[in-house]
Amino acid sequence: MGIVHIPVLLEAVADNLVSDESNLFVDTTIGGAGHSYYLLERHRNLKLVGIDVDEYALTMAEERLSVFKDRVRLIRGNFSGVKEILNSMGVSSIGSILFDLGLSTYQILGKRGFSFHDEVFLDMRMDNRETLTAYDVVNSYSYDELIRILETYGEENRPSKIARAIIEERKKKPISTAKELSTIIQKTKKRRGRLNPATKTFQAVRIEVNSELKNIKTGIAGAIDMLVPKGRIGVISFHSLEDRLIKEAFKGSPMLKVLTKKPIRPDRLEIKNNPGSRSAKLRIAEKI
Ligand SMILES: C[S@@+](CC[C@H](N)C(=O)[O-])C[C@H]1O[C@@H](n2cnc3c(N)ncnc32)[C@H](O)[C@@H]1O
């Protein structure tokens, strides 16, 4: 196995998610299977369905989880259709379900256009069967469309400046790589602290390409439907847009009791060992 993704908030997930190991556990974002491996080890009778939209994730998860043999079933799919996916596998109810949002390390380091320095095609698709890429968004969206995504998915303070810069540059030649895009944005903004000035724009483009917020909404709704009474749902988010959505989805569901009044966050040691965990927030709810 090449790149290893360190699972975030692992103990908190393991301590709080599985209340009855005789019921099925669903990991909707199996990635490198860090969470799933740990849960299957800890709960000897637990069975898992692992889902991911990225074919590479499934290859890694399959290899890593092979020791658990028939306790594991893996399937490629988008968690927005989690209910349909599970039904198609003959599953009618589940005991626990995890959504670990965001990117896996193999995606960030995999030269797929997610990283500011990538000098490869500006792709950003998690699912390579989809057709819309970051290249399409950046090179073909109108000024108004760019503003919409920069504002709603990036919460950029000055979206018009960035949209204008993108449009000016692409008139000269198409913006083809992540490095080119981040360089254009860096010219429009001063660096504040350690955060790369292109962070919010990259977030916005990535959310648009992968329909991330829409998928989370439908995914959570489907998951709630599938849970048995006292079954648990856990969602780990990495930025405020996601977290707000999850908080509202949990609070707004008459079928859930929220177990985390405040989200669980990584402690200092975890952040030191895995800086990528610093913005993580875990919310857990139980089906009534
Ligand atoms: C942060 S990683 C998960 C890491 C995993 N928990 C581990 O311990 O290795 C997120 C994973 O979710 C997948 N993913 C993102 N959006 C998805 C979606 N809508 N449906 C299915 N998988 C998705 C990504 O491809 C990625 O592999």
Side-chain angles (χ1 to χ4, degrees):
M1 194 183 292
I3 300 161
V4 176
H5 175 87
I6 305 171
V8 306
L9 294 166
L10 189 57
E11 293 299 334
V13 169
D15 289 345
N16 295 294
L17 197 63
V18 177
S19 57
D20 176 353
E21 66 177 60
S22 65
N23 287 321
L24 188 70
F25 164 55
V26 178
D27 187 341
T28 66
T29 50
I30 191 100
H35 288 101
S36 283
Y37 190 97
Y38 195 64
L39 262 72
L40 288 166
E41 250 198 338
R42 189 150 148 180
H43 302 280
R44 301 280 163 176
N45 294 314
L46 191 67
K47 290 192 174 160
L48 161 81
V49 168
I51 302 172
D52 206 291
V53 82
D54 192 314
E55 63 176 342
Y56 186 62
L58 292 170
T59 313
M60 285 190 309
E62 193 176 359
E63 189 190 325
R64 182 129 192 239
L65 299 176
S66 59
V67 286
F68 299 108
K69 303 200 170 85
D70 57 4
R71 290 171 62 199
V72 174
R73 279 185 289 171
L74 299 174
I75 185 163
R76 187 174 185 195
N78 193 305
F79 61 54
S80 64
V82 63
K83 196 173 163 182
E84 293 71 25
I85 293 172
L86 292 170
N87 287 339
S88 77
M89 300 172 87
V91 173
S92 55
S93 66
I94 60 174
S96 48
I97 186 161
L98 175 67
F99 294 76
D100 177 15
L101 304 173
L103 293 171
S104 190
T105 309
Y106 69 86
Q107 289 167 324
I108 299 168
L109 301 180
K111 300 234 175 290
R112 293 165 56 167
F114 291 113
S115 253
F116 309 123
H117 305 293
D118 280 355
E119 292 188 76
V120 292
F121 178 65
L122 189 50
D123 192 328
M124 293 199 199
R125 283 172 305 166
M126 293 190 202
D127 185 347
N128 61 9
R129 298 167 301 185
E130 294 293 338
T131 50
L132 184 74
T133 64
Y135 176 95
D136 302 324
V137 170
V138 167
N139 288 291
S140 67
Y141 273 28
S142 68
Y143 176 77
D144 287 344
E145 284 173 317
L146 287 172
I147 298 277
R148 172 183 64 80
I149 65 162
L150 291 168
E151 254 172 10
T152 50
Y153 300 154
E155 298 183 307
E156 283 283 9
N157 294 332
R158 302 181 68 189
S160 53
K161 204 168 172 193
I162 297 170
R164 267 201 307 273
I166 288 174
I167 287 171
E168 278 314 306
E169 286 300 324
R170 76 187 193 197
K171 275 187 201 154
K172 298 176 206 159
K173 71 169 190 56
I175 301 161
S176 314
T177 69
K179 174 109 191 247
E180 284 169 26
L181 180 61
S182 60
T183 307
I184 293 164
I185 294 147
Q186 277 155 16
K187 283 185 196 154
T188 70
K189 279 172 131 186
K190 280 205 186 99
R191 182 185 270 269
R192 284 214 187 118
R194 281 171 41 211
L195 206 65
N196 188 302
T199 302
K200 288 179 167 186
T201 296
F202 269 56
Q203 174 184 304
V205 176
R206 200 193 88 195
I207 291 177
E208 175 73 5
V209 168
N210 297 290
S211 304
E212 292 182 27
L213 301 183
K214 201 170 113 215
N215 290 339
I216 295 170
K217 250 188 178 169
T218 38
I220 290 180
I224 297 171
D225 273 358
M226 296 296 292
L227 280 173
V228 294
K230 296 225 168 285
R232 292 188 177 179
I233 175 169
V235 188
I236 303 173
S237 66
F238 289 85
H239 55 77
S240 56
L241 286 174
E242 286 174 346
D243 186 52
R244 224 175 291 150
L245 201 74
I246 294 145
K247 194 175 158 190
E248 279 162 19
F250 279 13
K251 257 175 89 180
S253 170
M255 295 196 293
L256 287 185
K257 178 172 126 200
V258 178
L259 301 183
T260 44
K261 293 278 168 275
K262 289 223 161 102
I264 302 172
R265 316 219 32 189
D267 60 20
R268 258 201 249 158
L269 183 65
E270 177 165 1
I271 296 172
K272 185 168 169 255
N273 292 336
N274 179 17
S277 71
R278 67 187 171 278
S279 56
K281 288 183 182 167
L282 168 65
R283 292 187 186 270
I284 298 181
E286 188 173 88
K287 179 112 170 234
I288 293 167

